[in-house]
Amino acid sequence: MSKSEMPKAYESASIEEKWYSYWENNKLFHGEPKPGKKPYSIVIPPPNVTGILTMGHVLNNTLQDILIRWHRMLGEEVCWFPGTDHAGIATESRVEKFLREKEGVGREELGREEFIKRVWSWREQYGGTIIRQLRKLGASCDWERERFTMDEGLSDAVRQVFVQLYNKGYIYRGRRMINWCPVSKTALSDEEVIYKEENGKFYHFKYPLSDDSGFLVVATTRPETMFGDTAVAVPPGDPRYRHLVGKTVDLPLTDRKIVIIEDPHADPEKGTGCVKITPAHDPNDFEVGQRHHLEFINVFTADAKMNARPGKAYEGLDRFECRRKVVKEMEALGLLDKTEDIVHSVGYSERGNVPVETLISEQWFVRMDELAKPALEAVRNGTIQFYPDRWTKTYYHWMENIKDWCISRQIWWGHRIPAWYKDATGEIYVGVNPPEGEGWRQDEDVLDTWFSSWLWPFSIMGWPKDTPEEKFFYPTNDLVTAPDIIFFWVARMIMAGYEFKGTYPFRNVYFTSILRDNLGRKLSKSLGNSPDPLDVIAQYGADALRFSIIYIAPIGLDIQYSNDKCEIGRNFANKLWNACRFRKMQGPVSPRFRKLEGIDIEMLAADEKWILAWTNRTIQATRDALEGFKFHQAVHEIYEMVWSTFCDWFIESCKPRLYGDEAARAQTLAVLDFVLWKLLRLLHPFMPFITEELAHQMDFLEDGESILYAHFPEPFRAMGLDNLMDEVDDVLDLVEDKFQLVRAGRNLRVSYDIPPSRKLHYHVKAASPEIGAFLENEVENLKFLLNADAVTVSREEYKADDGSGAPSMLVNAGVIYLPLKGVVDLEAEKAKLHKQQKELQGWIRGTEGKLSNPGFLAKAPEQLIANTKTQLDEMKNKLKRVEEALLSLG
């Protein structure tokens, strides 16, 4: 099909495939360091290599692409750096599951070296899925610069950072209380623990005093940990227990005695004031144990089964099975004082989705307090700004209470810790390269995935090498990310930026909304309420999905998403397509579509001035919204401009001039093309495919050109069109009032069921001489828009010769009357209205009687009473309108 034969309907699939291939094959997404040109860069939040596209990715990457395309059109040198994250725990779990299903082997059977080979092989075969899917969305990433966090260059950056921080004393190895995932069998950082509210129980146990003089009652939610108890703490100076300090209790179900100590951790206001101390399995108890030099007893295996310490009767039991057995045996011994139902917060492994265990383990940590100081100040002083701003409070709270970061993981897939041990001498060597000589063994653990991700803004550009990309594009400009990784990633990137680059990694952080279904539930695969974006794109088109998800996404508020909301974008695309198709049917594009050269501004029709004024306003409003990261507002501005102002009003209103004399036609087409070309460019960052297609269909672009690099519209005064603006602003309100008048006239027609094809006569009483003069000049246009054979404009009310009335509506421009004589049967219309009047009066009397009845008010639900009052008000308003209609008919 030739370009001149514009299809009747917008076929999104073929157009999206055509233009994305064109953009990518012609390297139109590629950014190069160009000294003297303004840089703009974004780094993509690297999706997991195991990932597939979700609706959350759609929202996040659409917002990034809007920013990238906008800044590209502003003439800046743009680069959107893409890549994927190796996702240590997630990938290792996925690949091991894959291998067990396909080959019947796991990582232990294969061994470390062979297993890692298999992970790399899996990554080559399946790891690029989400990157391919992002192309379907229209993401204009610089794919030539795609990186992976396990690439050699990024791996070198990780080693360099580890060594630098170790030499600075910020990285250390020690035995600390950590979070342990029994499924992944690895340590977790505090941020990798998700807390869930759950029903649970407080078990109150009696611990007998060793001298048989009584017992102490302690409470626990985790009876299985009692085998690790090494003390009972009582409040310092508490007269109830002062005489017992230093004595012992018999630890039930064991042959051990444990000491009674005084410690402020025991709160006299809580329960009995006595607390069982399990130093190896509780963070607070750990500190108590250190203060009193208690024994630290671990009672769990790596998969959270009971180890040998609890004894043969419990060894090998699952922790929850052990809990049930302990409670049962304590009850049998008469040592269960009571059980209390509670709701409490339980920490879950983000990846394993099971309750974590807190236990003591030797791990690698990063001291964070000094690293946090410049990162905290950067947000406080406004160097880095958050959108919406409320997330700064969350950031401050975390940064002001920051804890050391556990960075070692007991898995194989990831950056192996660059530390070596010589067992014979006890030496430890930390370096970028392995130590020379014999007898060294490397640490078995790998680094937390986030240890590579926090370097992403500069490691992706080649750091620690001194690269042209890093010199030109770093620091980046904006970051778009989900608020749930503000600690995992955002805060740590800011810390890394100041520590290793001496400056901020980005200036603005936009936190996306949370997507929920119509029931208010967060979209998730586990709930089965998260649509596959590729299915949505196949049904509605990528542009429709992009536009719709931004249209329904106000800043800082959750989004209620359902697929049918994509009809907003699809209908909008069709509206725009049809408008362009109508324009194309009028002939070739005006040669003056870029700047309106040669147009006599004073000769412009009022509607032409009006559409130019609205175009200017929309350009300014869209730019302001984008600069303030108000994407939702920008989309609404463009939607209203295109759908209502341009399509519904201007195109309709300009039709008589298109079929009039040649000079008027040429002028109207020039204005129409001038506005349309600006609207396509305004819309391009949001709907890239259809705007590229229409720009070429309309001949606004030559072959070989792309709207990607077309200039983003500027306000007219910035274009030097001051004289145009002086003219067009003057008529803005007058034309608005004219169109309001037309709406009123059309509503009068509908009120009396008059067919749209019936020619009518309207009378307008103008609100002022100025408006009257304006409307007189617009009579032919009014006749066309109202489908009237006559529109009379005067300063007088309408009066028929025979005294018959006419219904009317009051608007800003005055009063518009619709004489009905000869159009409808007036007597039949009056009869119908009298009948409605009588029915409404009867209903109102009955409802008022009900609402004055004390019995009804006493027994009826509040909502029913409120609904009845609302219905009464509605009926009274309807009666008023019926009586006004009767009055207008005489």
Side-chain angles (χ1 to χ4, degrees):
M1 179 179 290
S2 70
K3 193 163 65 172
S4 61
E5 298 172 14
M6 189 168 173
K8 289 184 178 180
Y10 174 52
E11 299 293 341
S12 59
S14 59
I15 287 171
E16 288 166 8
E17 184 177 353
K18 174 179 76 174
W19 285 116
Y20 202 89
S21 297
Y22 174 82
W23 294 331
E24 192 168 9
N25 292 340
N26 287 277
K27 302 183 185 299
L28 298 186
F29 303 154
H30 186 59
E32 277 291 340
K34 293 178 182 174
K37 196 172 181 183
K38 185 178 179 180
Y40 179 84
S41 60
I42 290 180
V43 294
I44 198 171
N48 288 354
V49 70
T50 59
I52 59 171
L53 198 67
T54 66
M55 295 306 295
H57 291 121
V58 168
L59 174 61
N60 190 305
N61 286 280
T62 295
L63 292 169
Q64 292 177 77
D65 197 44
I66 289 168
L67 290 169
I68 283 290
R69 289 178 182 271
W70 174 45
H71 281 274
R72 190 183 286 124
M73 296 177 78
L74 291 176
E76 298 168 14
E77 188 62 24
V78 166
C79 192
W80 184 7
F81 290 85
T84 49
D85 192 287
H86 67 278
I89 296 173
T91 304
E92 182 157 312
S93 300
R94 174 74 66 85
V95 175
E96 185 162 23
K97 181 181 178 183
F98 174 82
L99 289 173
R100 289 197 182 281
E101 290 174 354
K102 296 291 183 182
E103 302 179 27
V105 296
R107 68 172 204 158
E108 298 297 339
E109 296 93 324
L110 291 170
R112 182 173 196 141
E113 187 175 338
E114 182 59 30
F115 178 74
I116 290 175
K117 285 182 182 177
R118 298 294 186 92
V119 179
W120 276 107
S121 175
W122 183 91
R123 184 251 174 182
E124 291 301 317
Q125 189 171 357
Y126 302 105
T129 300
I130 195 167
I131 295 299
R132 291 190 295 273
Q133 292 173 330
L134 283 173
R135 288 171 161 88
K136 287 283 188 185
L137 186 64
S140 58
C141 297
D142 188 346
W143 298 115
E144 296 174 56
R145 299 189 185 281
E146 183 184 343
R147 303 296 298 274
F148 178 50
T149 51
M150 289 284 284
D151 286 351
E152 184 48 45
L154 277 74
S155 296
D156 182 50
V158 167
R159 290 190 292 269
Q160 295 275 3
V161 163
F162 186 96
V163 172
Q164 286 183 38
L165 292 179
Y166 179 81
N167 291 337
K168 202 171 180 177
Y170 286 4
I171 284 184
Y172 65 94
R173 193 165 189 255
R175 283 183 66 78
R176 293 274 304 276
M177 178 68 63
I178 54 98
N179 305 296
W180 184 265
C181 174
V183 171
S184 306
K185 300 185 183 66
T186 181
L188 303 173
S189 67
D190 290 342
E191 293 72 42
E192 291 169 294
V193 178
I194 308 300
Y195 287 90
K196 301 180 183 180
E197 292 290 309
E198 289 188 349
N199 294 322
K201 294 184 184 296
F202 244 138
Y203 301 95
H204 296 257
F205 290 155
K206 298 175 183 178
Y207 280 16
L209 293 163
S210 299
D211 62 5
D212 295 328
S213 62
F215 52 81
L216 297 180
V217 175
V218 297
T220 181
T221 59
R222 302 166 67 211
E224 68 275 11
T225 65
M226 68 180 289
F227 298 107
D229 290 358
T230 53
V232 172
V234 297
D238 191 317
R240 295 174 294 175
Y241 307 115
R242 189 184 301 142
H243 65 289
L244 297 177
V245 175
K247 294 185 177 181
T248 62
V249 295
D250 293 336
L251 182 62
L253 309 182
T254 76
D255 57 2
R256 290 194 294 117
K257 298 180 187 300
I258 58 176
V259 68
I260 301 169
I261 60 174
E262 285 185 315
D263 193 274
H265 175 51
D267 185 347
E269 302 298 321
K270 291 184 177 179
T272 63
C274 303
V275 181
K276 64 188 277 300
I277 303 300
T278 319
H281 295 296
D282 181 272
N284 293 316
D285 292 2
F286 175 80
E287 294 178 5
V288 175
Q290 287 188 316
R291 286 195 290 271
H292 295 272
H293 308 290
L294 299 175
E295 184 181 4
F296 292 74
I297 300 174
N298 175 34
V299 300
F300 295 116
T301 61
D303 57 356
K305 289 185 170 61
M306 308 310 293
N307 64 21
R309 287 304 298 255
K312 294 285 186 184
Y314 302 94
E315 185 178 0
L317 291 180
D318 172 81
R319 53 185 164 162
F320 302 113
E321 187 181 354
C322 180
R323 179 180 301 179
R324 291 188 290 271
K325 184 171 182 178
V326 165
V327 171
K328 185 177 180 180
E329 296 198 5
M330 290 292 282
E331 186 175 19
L333 291 170
L335 297 178
L336 177 60
D337 186 56
K338 65 178 179 178
T339 301
E340 182 182 354
D341 290 329
I342 61 168
V343 176
H344 61 152
S345 189
V346 178
Y348 272 70
S349 165
E350 185 187 35
R351 290 295 176 195
N353 196 32
V354 294
V356 298
E357 284 299 337
T358 47
L359 49 82
I360 296 172
S361 177
E362 190 160 35
Q363 303 287 341
W364 289 91
F365 297 88
V366 181
R367 302 184 203 279
M368 303 299 287
D369 48 358
E370 289 300 317
L371 291 171
K373 289 177 181 177
L376 183 57
E377 180 58 25
V379 177
R380 283 199 192 283
N381 65 25
T383 300
I384 296 173
Q385 294 191 315
F386 287 175
Y387 298 87
D389 180 67
R390 63 185 170 85
W391 288 108
T392 57
K393 293 180 182 178
T394 307
Y395 179 83
Y396 295 156
H397 177 75
W398 188 73
M399 296 291 276
E400 288 165 354
N401 299 279
I402 199 165
K403 297 177 181 178
D404 289 359
W405 175 15
C406 177
I407 57 171
S408 46
R409 299 290 179 270
Q410 288 66 55
I411 57 176
W412 290 348
W413 174 244
H415 298 102
R416 196 165 175 181
I417 291 175
W420 286 261
Y421 308 96
K422 184 175 278 191
D423 296 330
T425 62
E427 293 176 75
I428 299 178
Y429 168 84
V430 172
V432 174
N433 299 309
E436 296 179 357
E438 299 294 325
W440 292 99
R441 63 174 177 85
Q442 188 173 359
D443 196 302
E444 293 288 324
D445 292 349
V446 301
L447 289 160
D448 179 9
T449 296
W450 297 102
F451 195 86
S452 54
S453 300
W454 76 323
L455 313 177
W456 188 246
F458 48 88
S459 66
I460 199 172
M461 298 184 194
W463 188 92
K465 292 181 180 178
D466 194 10
T467 66
E469 288 78 9
E470 190 192 357
K471 283 183 179 178
F472 186 74
F473 287 115
Y474 190 88
T476 66
N477 297 80
D478 302 322
L479 177 74
V480 179
T481 189
D484 55 359
I485 55 174
I486 189 171
F487 313 132
F488 285 120
W489 197 46
V490 178
R492 288 172 180 160
M493 281 192 293
I494 298 173
M495 288 186 265
Y498 279 100
E499 177 67 17
F500 303 109
K501 294 295 296 175
T503 189
Y504 53 86
F506 31 73
R507 290 302 301 266
N508 303 295
V509 183
Y510 181 89
F511 292 104
T512 57
S513 304
I514 295 173
L515 289 160
R516 300 188 183 278
D517 63 16
N518 288 331
L519 298 176
R521 303 174 302 172
K522 187 176 179 180
L523 296 189
S524 70
K525 294 176 194 170
S526 60
L527 289 175
N529 65 346
S530 184
D532 183 339
L534 296 187
D535 291 342
V536 181
I537 290 171
Q539 183 177 357
Y540 294 96
D543 280 338
L545 173 57
R546 288 167 61 114
F547 189 89
S548 302
I549 205 166
I550 303 302
Y551 188 90
I552 62 173
I555 185 170
L557 300 177
D558 291 355
I559 303 169
Q560 276 206 325
Y561 175 84
S562 57
N563 282 352
D564 59 358
K565 289 182 179 176
C566 290
E567 291 178 10
I568 297 169
R570 182 170 64 184
N571 292 343
F572 181 73
N574 289 335
K575 184 89 166 181
L576 180 64
W577 184 268
N578 290 335
C580 289
R581 190 165 179 271
F582 167 79
R583 166 60 190 94
K584 193 163 185 181
M585 290 166 64
Q586 309 311 311
V589 67
S590 168
R592 296 174 288 191
F593 75 91
R594 295 189 188 278
K595 290 189 177 179
L596 287 180
E597 298 100 334
I599 292 289
D600 185 345
I601 293 171
E602 293 184 3
M603 295 299 293
L604 288 171
D607 293 354
E608 292 165 355
K609 293 178 181 179
W610 173 80
I611 195 63
L612 290 170
W614 264 112
T615 302
N616 185 63
R617 286 189 175 194
T618 304
I619 290 169
Q620 187 64 63
T622 303
R623 292 177 77 108
D624 290 347
L626 286 172
E627 286 167 6
F629 297 90
K630 297 174 182 176
F631 305 97
H632 164 265
Q633 183 177 321
V635 161
H636 277 256
E637 293 283 354
I638 297 171
Y639 181 91
E640 185 63 27
M641 174 68 196
V642 172
W643 189 287
S644 178
T645 307
F646 183 69
C647 294
D648 286 353
W649 287 109
F650 179 67
I651 289 181
E652 191 66 20
S653 177
C654 79
K655 284 178 180 178
R657 291 171 62 80
L658 292 177
Y659 307 127
D661 68 77
E662 191 54 40
R665 172 182 168 81
Q667 179 174 291
T668 298
L669 288 176
V671 172
L672 200 156
D673 290 343
F674 178 77
V675 171
L676 184 53
W677 176 223
K678 289 190 179 298
L679 294 180
L680 291 178
R681 286 178 287 152
L682 271 185
L683 184 58
H684 174 72
F686 306 91
M687 302 182 88
F689 295 108
I690 192 171
T691 50
E692 182 78 88
E693 176 68 15
L694 290 174
H696 286 272
Q697 284 282 358
M698 303 306 298
D699 291 321
F700 293 144
L701 294 173
E702 301 288 341
D703 289 342
E705 293 182 321
S706 172
I707 198 171
L708 266 74
Y709 287 91
H711 191 64
F712 197 76
E714 292 180 303
F716 291 173
R717 293 194 188 278
M719 295 173 63
L721 298 176
D722 294 57
N723 58 336
L724 174 62
M725 290 314 304
D726 292 339
E727 281 284 333
V728 301
D729 279 342
D730 290 343
V731 302
L732 189 61
D733 290 341
L734 288 170
V735 178
E736 291 285 327
D737 291 345
K738 180 185 78 168
F739 289 145
Q740 184 190 37
L741 187 78
V742 171
R743 279 192 290 269
R746 290 173 175 175
N747 287 338
L748 286 171
R749 176 192 288 270
V750 171
S751 297
Y752 291 91
D753 297 323
I754 302 170
S757 59
R758 177 77 180 268
K759 292 283 186 180
L760 299 175
H761 173 204
Y762 288 89
H763 178 91
V764 177
K765 178 193 173 187
S768 70
E770 179 195 10
I771 292 174
F774 172 74
L775 293 178
E776 285 281 4
N777 287 330
E778 295 292 312
V779 163
E780 290 303 314
N781 190 249
L782 286 170
K783 286 165 62 179
F784 173 77
L785 293 172
L786 288 166
N787 192 25
D789 52 16
V791 175
T792 305
V793 179
S794 77
R795 295 278 289 128
E796 304 299 327
E797 293 182 358
Y798 173 76
K799 289 183 180 177
D801 295 338
D802 62 357
S804 62
S808 63
M809 292 188 75
L810 175 66
V811 292
N812 292 340
V815 181
I816 183 168
Y817 298 85
L818 176 58
L820 294 176
K821 186 177 180 181
V823 178
V824 299
D825 184 336
L826 291 178
E827 293 307 315
E829 190 66 32
K830 287 179 185 179
K832 183 175 72 173
L833 289 170
H834 279 301
K835 182 182 179 185
Q836 288 181 3
Q837 182 186 39
K838 187 176 180 180
E839 289 174 350
L840 286 167
Q841 288 170 338
W843 196 95
I844 289 168
R845 282 194 300 272
T847 304
E848 286 177 334
K850 184 186 291 186
L851 288 172
S852 63
N853 183 342
F856 172 76
L857 295 175
K859 296 178 181 178
E862 285 186 18
Q863 189 60 51
L864 176 59
I865 295 171
N867 291 344
T868 305
K869 288 179 178 178
T870 300
Q871 289 170 352
L872 178 62
D873 290 339
E874 290 172 354
M875 291 301 107
K876 285 181 175 180
N877 287 329
K878 191 170 183 180
L879 177 62
K880 182 181 177 183
R881 292 195 300 272
V882 167
E883 290 173 341
E884 287 173 350
L886 277 168
L887 187 63
S888 72
L889 295 178

